């Protein structure tokens, strides 16, 4: 059982993003740009506080180090609100002032503001970083920026603190024993939200509770356990770089939630689109909840989704990491895996034995192709006409990794499957249309390349002579509307090769190409 109890298991191989990886690093000091970006993001959420934070903005426009305690008449500090499962906030007795305060203090060699707040909590209370995790509501963003007069130490003049306040959940159900810093701390108390001593922090916490800030740790990361149904699992080799989680290991694809993500599934689909364009899975199903540890030691709850895919990793335009490969469970002992990944895959393999029939044929590696061969991505496209000769197009989601807010054929990439079967599958999954393979004919082929470095593509355009069903939006994260258009009066925003293919079909041409003259 993990620190999160029976719901969570061992650390898994999620791809932890930079926002979840604050760490102390003397070689990467806190930058003015980081402080400004954090402050501006906060003001975007609380624009009415811009006047009250004029002193902070003036500090950031100056030449002195904004986080150096010697910078006067004010400098940046960091503190934390640690919330337990009973929605109480940890306060400590501050010896110098006699006040109950949140743990916090000056920046001292920290790479991020969040890391400074975490370090101060641990130094002053004896909590370990692994006893804490981020909240889904705030993630790594400050809940409050408070301006107050400092209690000057010996030799310091009167000055102000611009205090960035972050929120952590306490992970263990039972409170760990606190080991208070004797030099500065006189005691500790857990206070309800309504009793929090800081007026501004109290107001922000009470407002955040209305949005679900309840002290119950829950996943803030999502990862994809992708398998082909025949016992193979898709693993991602991470970069061998300092400062990232599990460098140089094989891990699952995925990443951390942002404030814009409406769900963890949306997080994962965004991460897949950003990291692996060309790898599209129809369905993501929650499989397990795991826990990893970030670079600085924070607990990171993760939702693991399972998905089926049987494509060729070589066709994926990998944007992060070194490579993608299929592996079977018996190969895992030979790999440098991220923590807990081997156990997770073996458990899934035991619960999901390979489907009947022979496994998928071995993948054709690039170096197994004839010399000079360029592997292509194959896409299928549906040319569907209604009784009035109008053509079905879909408006892609504005946040789509490809052609956002542009009209396009119903389309998809061939996995390890025959092209017409792919078309039939995509039509049902994307729009609820039922098409019989015998009622499909190839009417055009577009051979295209987007840029000199992009993998070439072959677009197969198939006409369905008959079908059943009414087009409906089945994958709203990809397509927001289906509509029939007069081919002579198409909308302005159409994918260029889609328009080219429609013109080719109408002219009776079977082939066209695009982009090759720009290589």
């Amino acid at each position: 059982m993990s620190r999160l109890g029976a719901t969570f298991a061992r650390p898994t191989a999620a791809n932890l993003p930079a926002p979840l990886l604050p760490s102390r690093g003397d070689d990467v000091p806190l930058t003015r740009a980081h402080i400004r970006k954090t402050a501006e993001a906060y003001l975007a959420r609380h624009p009415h506080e811009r006047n009250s934070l004029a002193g902070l903005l003036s500090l950031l426009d100056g030449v002195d180090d904004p986080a150096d305690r010697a910078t006067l008449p004010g400098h940046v500090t960091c503190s934390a609100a640690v919330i337990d499962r009973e929605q109480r906030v940890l306060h400590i007795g501050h010896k110098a002032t006699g006040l109950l305060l949140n743990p916090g203090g000056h920046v001292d060699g920290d790479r991020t503001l969040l890391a400074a707040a975490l370090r101060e909590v641990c130094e002053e209370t004896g909590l370990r970083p692994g006893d804490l995790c981020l909240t889904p509501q705030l993630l790594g963003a400050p809940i409050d920026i408070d301006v107050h007069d400092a209690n000057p130490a010996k030799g310091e003049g009167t000055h102000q603190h611009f205090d960035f306040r972050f929120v952590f959940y306490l992970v263990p159900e039972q409170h760990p024993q606190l080991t208070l810093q004797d030099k500065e701390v006189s005691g500790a108390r857990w206070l309800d939200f309504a009793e929090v001593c800081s007026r501004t922090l109290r107001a922000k916490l009470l407002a955040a509770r209305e949005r679900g800030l309840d002290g119950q740790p829950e996943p803030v990361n999502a990862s994809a356990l992708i398998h082909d149904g025949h016992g193979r699992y898709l693993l991602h080799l991470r970069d061998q770089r300092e400062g990232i989680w599990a460098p140089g290991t094989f891990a699952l694809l995925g990443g951390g939630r942002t404030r814009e993500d409406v769900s963890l599934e949306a997080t994962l689909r965004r991460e897949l689109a950003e990291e692996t364009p060309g790898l599209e899975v129809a369905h993501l199903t929650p499989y397990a909840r795991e826990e990893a540890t970030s670079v600085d030691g924070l607990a990171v709850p993760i939702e693991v989704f399972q998905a089926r895919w049987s494509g060729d990793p070589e066709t994926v335009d990998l944007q992060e990491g070194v490579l993608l490969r299929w592996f079977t469970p018996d190969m895992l002992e030979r790999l440098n895996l991220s923590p807990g990944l081997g156990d997770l895959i073996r458990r899934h393999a035991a619960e999901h034995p390979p489907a009947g029939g022979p496994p998928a044929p071995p993948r054709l590696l690039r170096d197994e192709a004839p010399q000079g061969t360029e592997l292509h991505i194959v896409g299928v496209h549906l040319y569907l006409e209604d009784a009035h000769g109008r053509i079905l197009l879909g408006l892609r989601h504005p946040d789509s990794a490809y052609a956002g807010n542009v009209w396009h054929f119903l389309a998809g990439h061939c996995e390890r499957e025959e092209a017409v079967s792919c078309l039939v599958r995509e039509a049902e999954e994307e729009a609820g249309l039922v098409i019989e393979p015998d009622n499909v004919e190839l009417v055009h082929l577009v051979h295209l390349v987007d840029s000199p470095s992009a993998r070439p593509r072959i677009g197969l355009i198939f006409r369905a002579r008959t079908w059943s069903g009414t087009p409906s939006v089945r994958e709203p994260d990809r397509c927001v509307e289906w509509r029939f258009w007069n081919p002579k009066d198409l909308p302005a925003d159409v994918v260029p090769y889609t328009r080219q293919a429609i013109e080719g079909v109408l002219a009776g041409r079977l082939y066209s190409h695009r982009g090759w003259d720009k290589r």
Side-chain angles (χ1 to χ4, degrees), residues 23-37:
S23 67
R24 186 174 183 180
D26 296 331
D27 57 333
V28 188
L30 185 67
T31 66
R32 183 187 305 270
H34 167 70
I35 301 173
R36 185 185 298 277
K37 181 178 179 180

Side-chain angles (χ1 to χ4, degrees), residues 94-401:
H94 191 237
K95 285 187 175 181
T97 63
L99 299 175
L100 278 177
L101 303 173
N102 297 103
H106 291 90
V107 176
D108 182 16
D110 305 285
R111 189 177 66 181
T112 68
L113 296 166
L114 179 68
L118 176 62
R119 176 183 51 76
E120 285 289 338
V121 169
C122 295
E123 289 179 356
E124 293 186 337
T125 69
L127 290 172
R128 301 170 301 162
D131 293 327
L132 306 172
C133 68
L134 297 181
T135 72
Q137 295 76 23
L138 292 157
L139 301 172
I143 189 173
D144 185 36
I145 301 179
D146 182 62
V147 182
H148 58 265
D149 293 332
N151 183 53
K154 185 176 181 180
E156 292 181 342
T158 301
H159 62 280
Q160 288 186 315
H161 284 169
F162 303 102
D163 194 43
F164 286 72
R165 294 166 163 179
F166 297 87
V167 176
F168 300 104
Y169 279 160
L170 185 69
V171 174
E173 294 189 41
Q174 300 296 324
H175 285 195
Q177 181 68 39
L178 299 181
T179 304
L180 302 178
Q181 187 182 55
D182 184 64
K183 182 179 179 181
E184 299 181 9
V185 180
S186 61
R189 290 180 59 189
W190 294 86
L191 301 179
D192 292 337
F193 282 13
E195 300 174 326
V196 167
C197 295
S198 165
R199 177 184 58 81
T200 59
L201 179 60
R202 179 171 65 249
K204 299 279 178 47
L205 288 171
L206 289 171
R209 182 162 63 185
E210 298 300 317
R211 302 190 300 272
L213 191 75
D214 58 5
Q216 307 300 314
E218 59 180 286
V220 293
N221 271 55
S223 60
L225 184 64
I226 298 175
H227 65 106
D228 67 351
H230 296 285
R232 296 190 305 174
Y233 291 83
L234 190 65
L235 301 184
H236 173 221
L237 180 59
R238 295 175 57 77
D239 294 305
Q240 181 65 52
R241 290 192 292 109
E242 294 294 328
I244 68 171
W245 180 81
T249 64
F250 282 94
L252 301 183
L253 293 165
R257 186 169 187 167
T258 68
R259 293 174 62 88
E260 291 73 30
D261 295 332
V262 298
S263 66
L264 285 168
E265 180 175 344
T267 294
L268 188 52
R269 290 199 179 278
R270 174 183 53 76
E271 288 286 338
L272 291 176
E274 293 172 357
E275 296 179 17
T276 54
L279 194 164
E280 297 184 3
V281 295
H283 303 291
L284 291 168
T285 306
Y287 171 66
R289 287 191 173 184
E290 304 283 309
E291 182 188 303
T293 303
S294 69
V295 167
D296 63 303
L298 272 176
V300 182
I302 302 167
E303 184 82 53
V304 181
F305 292 81
Q306 61 180 337
R308 285 278 295 271
W309 186 69
S310 56
D312 181 356
E314 286 289 327
T315 66
V316 174
D317 185 15
L318 187 64
Q319 297 296 305
E320 295 182 14
V322 178
L323 57 83
L324 283 176
R325 288 290 187 272
W326 288 111
F327 294 96
T328 55
D330 61 333
M331 302 172 66
L332 299 180
E333 292 184 357
R334 292 182 278 163
L335 304 178
N336 180 26
L337 299 174
S338 56
L341 178 55
D343 290 340
L344 180 68
I345 291 177
R346 293 185 187 95
R347 185 170 83 235
H348 185 274
E351 296 170 353
H352 301 80
R363 176 178 51 83
L364 178 66
L365 296 174
R366 176 177 290 275
D367 57 8
E368 293 174 347
Q371 183 67 31
T373 299
E374 179 71 25
L375 301 182
H376 284 52
I377 298 172
V378 178
V380 297
H381 306 74
L382 179 61
Y383 190 96
L384 194 69
E385 295 176 303
D386 67 4
H388 305 286
R390 297 177 302 174
I391 300 168
L392 180 68
L393 296 177
L395 182 61
R396 295 183 63 82
H397 192 282
D399 297 332
S400 174

